[in-house]
Amino acid sequence: MATKYSSKINKIRTFALSLVFIGFIVMYAGIFFRESMLLMTLFMLLGLLCIVGSTVVYFWIGMLSTKAVQVVCPECKKYTKVLGRVDMCMYCREPLTLDPTLEGKEFNEKYNRKKKES
């Protein structure tokens, strides 16, 4: 089974959105502990922390997105942003690279990792 890749920006945005929903679920779980003020408060605070964390992640990816290189996808001809050496098109999932040494090679996210110098 082939691995399904997506754009790095979209992955981080999906993570931030999931933090919002996790925060709501944790807060709703606190309702089940209405008898114990301490447990209910703990669940509400944990949910709030998840939502605040989501806000921080959205802010961070927004700042990162402004610095990303915009390219025209050769497949769908739409503008997309590339983070790192290799990335996927946000729209058609075409592998993209800005590194001429990687052109024509099989797409692998490991190309973005820094090599350990021995």
Side-chain angles (χ1 to χ4, degrees):
M1 184 166 108
T3 305
K4 190 174 183 182
Y5 295 105
S6 81
S7 167
K8 285 186 214 98
I9 292 176
N10 285 345
K11 282 181 186 176
I12 297 171
R13 286 179 181 157
T14 301
F15 172 70
L17 182 62
S18 66
L19 273 179
V20 170
F21 288 115
I22 289 169
F24 284 141
I25 291 168
V26 169
M27 285 180 162
Y28 278 118
I31 293 174
F32 293 114
F33 300 103
R34 276 183 266 178
E35 295 80 30
S36 173
M37 189 61 94
L38 181 65
L39 275 177
M40 186 178 82
T41 305
L42 181 69
F43 274 91
M44 293 296 170
L45 287 176
L46 285 175
L48 182 67
L49 282 177
C50 287
I51 294 172
V52 168
S54 166
T55 305
V56 170
V57 171
Y58 269 123
F59 180 77
W60 172 68
I61 193 60
M63 291 294 107
L64 196 61
S65 180
T66 60
K67 297 177 188 175
V69 179
Q70 273 194 344
V71 297
V72 177
C73 175
E75 187 72 24
C76 65
K77 307 294 187 232
K78 293 181 182 178
Y79 281 95
T80 188
K81 295 181 180 184
V82 176
L83 290 176
R85 292 175 66 194
V86 294
D87 203 355
M88 290 292 218
C89 175
M90 291 180 178
Y91 307 101
C92 68
R93 297 192 177 170
E94 174 76 14
L96 301 171
T97 183
L98 298 174
D99 191 350
T101 61
L102 296 176
E103 287 203 22
K105 290 186 179 181
E106 178 97 17
F107 180 81
N108 193 342
E109 289 181 331
K110 291 181 182 176
Y111 293 137
N112 288 323
R113 295 191 184 121
K114 294 187 183 207
K115 295 179 183 175
K116 294 179 183 176
E117 299 194 25
S118 305

